[in-house]
Amino acid sequence: MIKGGYTGKILRINLSNLTTKEEPVPEALVKNYLGGAGFAIKYLYDELKPRVPALSRENKLIFAVGPLTATGASCASRMAVAAKSPLTGAMGMALAGGQFPAEMKMTGYDMIIIEGKAEKPIYVSIIDGEVSFHSAVKLMGMMTTDTQLFIKEELGDWNYRIACVGPAGEKQVPMACIVNERRAAGRKGLGAVMGSKNLKAIAVRGTRKPAVADAEAFKKARAAMLKNMKESPVLYSQFSKTGTPMVVDAMTEMGIYSIKNWSATGEINMVPGLGKAAQDTMIITRNPCYDCPVGCSQVKLVTSGPYAGYLSEGPEFETTYSLGSAVGVDYLPAVIAGDRLCDEYGIDTISAGVSIAWAMELYEKGILTKKDTDGIDLKFGNHAAMIEMLRKIAYQEGLGALLGQGTKKAAAKIGKGSDAFAMQVKGLEMPAYDIRGAKAHGLNYATSYTGADHNRGYAFQEIFDIPIPEKVDRNAIKGKGKLTKWNQDIRAVTCDCAPMCAFLLDMAVPAVACQNTADLVNAVAGTEFTSGEIEKIGERLNNVARLFNIREGFTRKDDSFPKRILTEPIKQGASKGQLISRADLDTMLDEYYAERGWDKNGNPTTAKLKELAIKRD
Amino acid sequence: MIKGGYTGKILRINLSNLTTKEEPVPEALVKNYLGGAGFAIKYLYDELKPRVPALSRENKLIFAVGPLTATGASCASRMAVAAKSPLTGAMGMALAGGQFPAEMKMTGYDMIIIEGKAEKPIYVSIIDGEVSFHSAVKLMGMMTTDTQLFIKEELGDWNYRIACVGPAGEKQVPMACIVNERRAAGRKGLGAVMGSKNLKAIAVRGTRKPAVADAEAFKKARAAMLKNMKESPVLYSQFSKTGTPMVVDAMTEMGIYSIKNWSATGEINMVPGLGKAAQDTMIITRNPCYDCPVGCSQVKLVTSGPYAGYLSEGPEFETTYSLGSAVGVDYLPAVIAGDRLCDEYGIDTISAGVSIAWAMELYEKGILTKKDTDGIDLKFGNHAAMIEMLRKIAYQEGLGALLGQGTKKAAAKIGKGSDAFAMQVKGLEMPAYDIRGAKAHGLNYATSYTGADHNRGYAFQEIFDIPIPEKVDRNAIKGKGKLTKWNQDIRAVTCDCAPMCAFLLDMAVPAVACQNTADLVNAVAGTEFTSGEIEKIGERLNNVARLFNIREGFTRKDDSFPKRILTEPIKQGASKGQLISRADLDTMLDEYYAERGWDKNGNPTTAKLKELAIKRD
């Protein structure tokens, strides 16, 4: 059935005994899970024993690309990285772009499964199917850029692409990320899982460009997508010029750009420091992912002042929030410096920044004092303190050791009502959008299998007022269950499995995402997916991930929000007065579960599982 | 006559009109100047108009490798970089190792002459003789590591080797350096010359390995050198393990490791923080130059504390002084951080550190106050202040703008007797060795054509008690003129022209350096140099450089020391009481000039020039 697109091979690497095994990609896997996150989550559900500790050798770390990667379908150099998350205890899955995913595909593998734990620190190189193990003892403690440079030098070919952890991953900080080039599989602590396996890096170099089954059909499907991209009112005109920070101003105007740990959402005085105009002045160039004509990736450089010399790809919209508005810092050079340092240490900018923001609020409330902060004046707006706390998180020093565990666990240790201000769901810190003024976006935070994750069911309808599949009122409660299911399923399959860059879904093909994916995949792989079958794959993924979480002990009560969201209305601005009450949340959850064919407790029904041909563990 | 070794080609790049020209390497040039610094200095003497401003388009910047580079002769990936120095106004020449020199040779050029000035910032790429110009507008302000990464990415082949300037070079800071990989042509402000030409970087990639004229003779000569290296009592046993910092302890014991801007030389309390034991604990790996079996290059990494994550190649012995003992800092992590930051900003660690040390002494003496330092408590030992001042030098902020000019010019502006503490000769800041207790080393500082430069006539006889060509008393005055001439001539030809790593001269082949060079060069190039002719080339180089400096206005009075050396004895330790009085200096200069065949004013005599076949301009 499969004639192209896929390499057809899975690489299994056992670090405990330094062996490797190749396995074929089962046709049923392609049919039911398409690729990327679908592959990874299905394998984790099947292969992980229930309740294995996330940082034990029993956890597995999976890298998976999709059928479109490196085929000439634009914007498909994306990989899903997945494991049980040490931050949340739930399914941990994050995507990264850049060059590594395409290069990995060209080594000849659709998926790499890392098992066990190396006795001593190592890194793995893969060149066209040839796997080698190398000591990484000398790389221990190295920042991620230096790590990549030293490995390239040692391998004698600088054209390798490398995914690695920084000091934080080595130290198994639960918010550690995995960095490739200037990109990251950022959230859910996958870097800590990699570190727990004593795996410092994976280096890939490949020349095996996958075949395309039907060149004519592919040309047509590709042209259709490029046309949709060209016709987008924002993709080239704004997004390719400013990147994700283009929406800072709009979110501020809508009153849902979260400020000072969500205590001051609606304030508008940060726009001069963090908004589009400020961002644009610091852009020096782009650094696009492999085969991307848009190039949203803006590189910014600080050329004067205390952070002179710091360069980062980004900061993205989310980092502008977490290291900017969330911590009350409206000085972009500090955000750029913090962004770069997070990439170098290998920690997630969102979880790190939001944890610091939370600590700042506790400090201002007197719950934390200078005794707890090693003398740091941890007030909102103190950017030097923010920079210093990032280092403390990465190296697990003082209060940083606590914050690195994430706000949920840290709040449990600090007590004193601090959990009310811990902006997280299932232990994952919340992204920028203040969901009190964007209810479907909120319902997605509550129900995503990874926790408060904007990437799993982004409600572009609410954020950008796009009437697809229909017009919505962002503050309405009714209809948000149905909408969230649709958003989550479409996104899961098109962005996380195919894979296709999420921004195309939001800005270019929202109405035809599944058809677009079906056309492209069928052309490259010779498959015969219908648009409906593609959407079903997304639904299947969300159900399997739900089953994984249920097995780990998650229930309806975990599909919730911190107290602030439920009880404290936004105090000012265009969304003033908004919150999501307990009753509103329950209404939305009931509708969502019903739409999903799940029972009142959020358990997939037997009928639904049968419909999706999922065998419950 | 020439059958190998040399590429035989000179590349001339005119940045004003973006044209290039190839010229043959004249046989007479080979015969009289061998290569490297010899080539570069001869061309600068012939081609620069007298008294051109160093930062004008009339200055030329020359990169030159030698006949041994990339031939299989170990430790010869060295290049001379030369121009009129903006720091001293004299001949500016510095060498760098690493990979770039070998790669440059393999592009097919022995020498690259950069002329004029580009209208807008550009970089140049050269691959196997093909030269291209690229806009560097987007690279402006980038640190040197990021610069190298972005250029590799843009050129689509990460295997390019790149020499570039950082922000300091762009800003024409007179102590800016040129960085390739983790190496630098560090001293005399050559980075400012590159910046003044709007040239951000040169990227080279080559496959043209030079021919070897006589394989059998080469094998024999190479084996002889490797045998000498193997038999060295220190080269592999100590030097390859610790690198240059291996001598921190010994110099401290001898009482000539300069401390706190030379005001406290002889103190021994810094050894715990900066000595070999401390250095060794932070080594993580080596980063050898191309084709070097020794690998003195130690990479150090800070893994905890305020500078966690900083990695540098080094800090070398000299940087341990300039950013350590000279500024009273005995905390190695701060030295490592400062070393990396200097490399990233692109500033010379010695001149930067010694300038800060000088400012610290002025601050402690009350000549500078917090008003001058922007509130920084610029006391000896304040490593955070040192780090902050490096940034200010690179970005020309506040006091940094003054210090970046070097201590000589800064003292002229500050006045108040500050010049007495400005540790420089001809405007070049002094290296680590307190010459009050090492007189030939001192005479070399006084007479080197580049200023206070340990690399032009290193008196290993005094420093390591090596009796070659004969045993010396380091505090004796008599005989130092003759010794200094010998050291300068041997070093000029073997290290700066052939080129061969200076550490081999000091530790492996001091007794046979010229014969070793003659044997290797004759084998690779088919030439018939005698050992004596090789030595004569070194002498010729030093004479031409002297003529250059005389033409620029330098006289005997510039062959001198700051007041501290002449009047203030070392106060403590094993060299207590030592100084070099004005009378002692005159005695040594008279002997040195006589040995050189120069008149009392330090002017080469007509007879000497005739003997060396030098045509005076």
Side-chain angles (χ1 to χ4, degrees), chain B residues 570-591:
Chain B
I570 293 176
K571 295 188 192 76
Q572 58 212 313
S575 297
K576 185 174 171 180
Q578 292 296 329
L579 52 61
I580 302 178
S581 70
R582 184 74 245 177
D584 287 343
L585 174 61
D586 279 333
T587 303
M588 290 198 293
L589 280 180
D590 287 341
E591 184 191 327

Side-chain angles (χ1 to χ4, degrees), chain B residues 105-328:
Chain B
K105 177 85 168 271
M106 291 189 283
T107 67
Y109 298 110
D110 294 313
M111 177 156 68
I112 300 174
I113 303 172
I114 312 282
E115 304 177 332
K117 178 185 178 178
E119 202 179 329
K120 287 184 178 170
I122 61 159
Y123 72 91
V124 175
S125 69
I126 309 175
I127 179 163
D128 283 343
E130 193 184 321
V131 185
S132 310
F133 299 97
H134 314 260
S135 169
V137 170
K138 63 170 165 287
L139 304 175
M140 287 294 98
M142 257 191 222
M143 308 269 256
T144 59
T145 299
D146 284 333
T147 298
Q148 297 180 58
L149 301 190
F150 273 88
I151 290 175
K152 284 162 182 259
E153 190 78 43
E154 181 165 281
L155 294 177
D157 181 353
W158 281 69
N159 293 309
Y160 274 89
R161 300 296 183 173
I162 294 161
C164 66
V165 296
E170 294 171 25
K171 289 175 189 296
Q172 304 180 34
V173 177
M175 59 178 65
C177 64
I178 298 170
V179 172
N180 59 291
E181 306 112 47
R182 292 180 194 85
R183 302 297 193 278
R187 310 212 66 199
K188 300 122 212 169
L190 299 166
V193 177
M194 193 155 159
S196 77
K197 298 189 167 305
N198 263 332
L199 179 62
K200 177 70 173 168
I202 301 176
V204 292
R205 181 98 172 94
T207 58
R208 302 176 171 177
K209 215 170 148 57
V212 169
D214 183 339
E216 207 47 48
F218 180 62
K219 200 175 151 187
K220 209 173 129 194
R222 188 168 176 275
M225 184 170 90
L226 293 178
K227 183 163 174 283
N228 281 324
M229 289 167 66
K230 218 167 163 185
E231 287 171 358
S232 158
V234 289
L235 195 65
Y236 287 105
S237 62
Q238 297 178 50
F239 188 58
S240 76
K241 288 177 186 151
T242 300
T244 55
M246 82 178 182
V247 290
V248 172
D249 300 24
M251 293 308 101
T252 306
E253 241 175 76
M254 284 167 70
I256 58 169
Y257 196 47
S258 304
I259 292 173
K260 293 181 185 162
N261 198 42
W262 301 51
S263 70
T265 301
E267 269 187 13
I268 56 159
N269 56 7
M270 287 196 166
V271 170
L274 301 176
K276 181 183 177 307
Q279 301 262 356
D280 283 353
T281 60
M282 308 201 76
I283 294 172
I284 54 161
T285 188
R286 291 178 199 169
N287 186 216
C289 296
Y290 175 93
D291 200 357
C292 169
V294 179
C296 73
S297 159
Q298 306 297 326
V299 178
K300 299 194 184 90
L301 174 65
V302 185
T303 55
S304 64
Y307 300 107
Y310 274 100
L311 170 153
S312 81
E313 187 278 305
E316 302 292 346
F317 169 74
E318 285 297 339
T319 302
T320 300
Y321 145 75
S322 62
L323 303 181
S325 68
V327 289

Side-chain angles (χ1 to χ4, degrees), chain A residues 1-2 6 25-43 46 67 489 492-494 496-498 521 527-530 532-545 609-615:
Chain A
M1 162 183 148
I2 304 160
Y6 296 91
V25 172
E27 290 212 0
L29 186 67
V30 168
K31 188 163 170 277
N32 294 315
Y33 293 94
L34 198 64
F39 280 19
I41 288 169
K42 166 67 171 156
Y43 269 61
D46 287 350
D489 291 350
V493 64
T494 60
D496 302 349
C497 296
V521 172
T527 48
E528 292 177 342
F529 287 113
T530 65
E533 284 166 348
I534 289 290
E535 186 172 341
K536 206 49 115 183
I537 290 173
E539 186 180 6
R540 188 173 293 116
L541 186 160
N542 279 305
N543 275 268
V544 171
L609 294 180
K610 195 176 166 192
E611 177 201 324
L612 295 170
I614 297 173
K615 196 170 150 266

